Amino acid sequence: MGGKVKLAERIRGVKPSPTLAIDAQAKAMKAAGVDVIGFGAGEPDFDTPENIKQAAVEALNAGFTKYCPVGGIPELKQAIVDKLKNDNGLEYKPAEVVVSCGAKHSIYQIAQVLFQEGDEVIIPAPYWVSYLDIISLTSAKPVVVGSRSEEGFKMAPEAFERAITPRTKGLILNSPSNPTGCCYEREDLEAIAEIAVKHKITVISDEIYEKLIYDGFTFVSIASLGEEIKDLTLVVNGVSKTYAMTGWRIGYTAGRKEVITAITTIQSQSTSNPNSIAMKASYEALTGPQEEVARMVTEFDRRRRYMMERLQAIPGVTCPTPRGAFYTFADYSSYYGKGYNGEKITDSNALAACLLDKFKVAAVPGAAFGEDSCLRLSYATSMENISEGLDRIQTALAQLK
């Protein structure tokens, strides 16, 4: 018998993604015949548009199944350059763009090439679950800056500046936000950009939900606010959320050439090129018809309005209106301290466990996002599921004593 394998120190503090774990648990329960309503998934429930799937079929039939340039095929990189110019007013060259295996992969690689032990990276809370672990894997220190529900869960510029030390090297900014759906206005971004430029802090701008916006909100990329902030910003985006292509795993980064070159180098020693067929499909996504995107956004908006109406009608639940993405992040903490059948609800983990075990509703505890008073519910599911799931949540909360 062999001895016990000793794992590297870096893996000891890394936790599995809680959103993926809860989604997997809900799917396993469904597969076992349990009637579970899943609000955990961070992916559109729509199918990938037909023209995009057809482009993948054509790539297969043409034998486009070999190795490609590590940083992405030229036509896709050019399509990304054109998209950034047309949608965001950003001028990049193809050499300033690298295509990776999803936006998560993009952020991971940025962190690997920029941060190291002794560095600090500011992360506004509530935050996407993977940011802290991605930074910790570089041996840098994540510095969490809280925000308030009454202010729409947006990091105040003065709180950002207070968190800066001589060790601060980066800021991760996510707008529209997962988990809150909050969106930073132009004036918010201008204030943050001014501070980042003053202190020469790299901004990783996670814009993956850029197209999923409501109530007439106008999306602005922080990189578009002037040459100085553009020089400091790495724009991260992809096709997963906008085009219902989560499983295709295509994301991209745009930024200074030397950083993009470094990312391409590390990618050459890890994944090599992203999936060849998925890149052809992504080219069609960016350059083909966009009507399906508008249709999906309209439907998400309908669900958002309904979910907000239902949540706001539940006594003791408060929720800022999300203006982007497809999540609500409501505060259920008025129910903490109560119990169900003798089991006390002490925090978001306990409430989420009670909802799943006793009422067959899967929600993600806010503790995973750095805000324990809340639960994240995704409305990337059918109206029928949303209605039934909210009925169950309302029933559950009413029974807590």
Side-chain angles (χ1 to χ4, degrees):
M1 286 179 65
K4 186 178 179 182
V5 175
K6 181 172 168 51
L7 298 176
E9 273 306 314
R10 76 177 69 88
I11 196 62
R12 295 181 188 275
V14 178
K15 304 171 292 297
S17 167
T19 52
L20 295 179
I22 285 163
D23 191 44
Q25 187 178 354
K27 285 174 178 172
M29 291 171 73
K30 280 183 186 175
V34 180
D35 177 26
V36 174
I37 301 293
F39 286 131
E43 64 179 349
D45 57 316
F46 304 105
D47 194 10
T48 304
E50 194 60 39
N51 63 304
I52 298 172
K53 292 195 291 183
Q54 190 56 42
V57 172
E58 289 169 8
L60 272 172
N61 290 338
F64 195 73
T65 57
K66 310 297 183 186
Y67 289 131
C68 301
V70 167
I73 55 176
E75 60 265 44
L76 178 55
K77 290 176 78 168
Q78 185 60 52
I80 292 165
V81 166
D82 294 342
K83 178 258 176 252
L84 290 167
K85 181 177 181 180
N86 297 332
D87 291 356
N88 309 111
L90 290 167
E91 297 273 357
Y92 290 103
K93 298 185 177 82
E96 296 171 313
V97 171
V98 56
V99 184
S100 302
C101 306
K104 180 187 283 189
H105 187 219
S106 300
I107 295 168
Y108 177 84
Q109 294 192 131
I110 291 168
Q112 287 294 313
V113 303
L114 288 184
F115 308 128
Q116 59 194 350
E117 188 172 1
D119 293 342
E120 294 178 354
V121 180
I122 293 173
I123 300 175
Y127 44 73
W128 179 50
V129 294
S130 293
Y131 291 151
L132 264 63
D133 288 300
I134 285 172
I135 297 305
S136 295
L137 279 166
T138 71
S139 297
K141 178 185 175 185
V143 176
V144 175
V145 175
S147 61
R148 300 171 64 222
S149 172
E150 308 90 271
E151 295 164 355
F153 284 125
K154 290 188 287 190
M155 178 183 68
E158 51 272 21
F160 171 38
E161 188 150 36
R162 278 198 304 272
I164 294 170
T165 75
R167 293 178 178 271
T168 305
K169 295 295 191 296
L171 163 70
I172 301 181
L173 194 66
N174 178 209
S175 176
S177 160
N178 173 7
T180 66
C182 90
C183 296
Y184 284 80
E185 304 276 0
R186 175 182 286 271
E187 53 266 32
D188 300 321
L189 296 173
E190 286 172 343
I192 290 168
E194 185 179 346
I195 295 164
V197 168
K198 175 182 169 185
H199 295 276
K200 294 185 169 49
I201 292 168
T202 298
V203 178
I204 301 168
S205 184
D206 182 351
E207 303 178 2
I208 194 69
Y209 293 97
E210 168 199 9
K211 298 289 186 180
L212 306 182
I213 50 178
Y214 319 105
D215 296 337
F217 179 78
T218 300
F219 175 81
V220 175
S221 173
I222 193 169
S224 70
L225 299 179
E227 279 305 311
E228 287 183 301
I229 187 62
K230 178 175 180 269
D231 201 44
L232 287 167
T233 300
L234 291 156
V235 174
V236 175
N237 209 324
V239 297
S240 294
K241 314 296 184 178
T242 299
Y243 300 100
M245 294 176 68
T246 49
W248 299 74
R249 308 312 303 137
I250 297 293
Y252 58 83
T253 306
R256 286 176 59 134
K257 185 179 177 182
E258 59 265 39
V259 180
I260 298 303
T261 300
I263 292 169
T264 306
T265 298
I266 204 170
Q267 188 160 296
S268 76
Q269 298 291 7
S270 54
T271 62
S272 302
N273 63 270
N275 180 286
S276 60
I277 298 151
M279 284 197 286
K280 282 288 192 180
S282 299
Y283 173 80
E284 172 63 23
L286 292 176
T287 62
Q290 303 295 304
E291 289 83 3
E292 284 297 297
V293 177
R295 186 183 68 80
M296 285 189 276
V297 171
T298 299
E299 178 59 20
F300 281 140
D301 188 26
R302 188 171 77 94
R303 298 170 184 178
R304 175 187 73 113
R305 292 173 185 273
Y306 175 76
M307 186 177 275
M308 284 301 298
E309 186 181 306
R310 290 289 306 273
L311 288 172
Q312 287 168 346
I314 300 174
V317 173
T318 58
C319 186
T321 301
R323 300 181 71 191
F326 38 64
Y327 311 105
T328 59
F329 200 62
D331 187 326
Y332 300 83
S333 61
S334 65
Y335 290 89
Y336 296 175
K338 298 185 178 183
Y340 180 79
N341 285 353
E343 292 182 24
K344 200 163 188 181
I345 305 300
T346 53
D347 53 24
S348 62
N349 287 307
L351 180 57
C354 176
L355 288 173
L356 185 57
D357 296 342
K358 307 296 192 300
F359 296 91
K360 308 301 181 272
V361 179
V364 188
F369 307 100
E371 181 48 76
D372 193 39
S373 62
C374 298
L375 297 180
R376 191 192 79 173
L377 304 182
S378 168
Y379 47 89
T381 187
S382 69
M383 282 292 280
E384 182 184 4
N385 281 346
I386 292 170
S387 177
E388 173 62 23
L390 289 172
D391 284 348
R392 295 182 188 184
I393 289 173
Q394 200 161 0
T395 298
L397 295 176
Q399 291 183 27
L400 297 180
K401 304 296 181 192

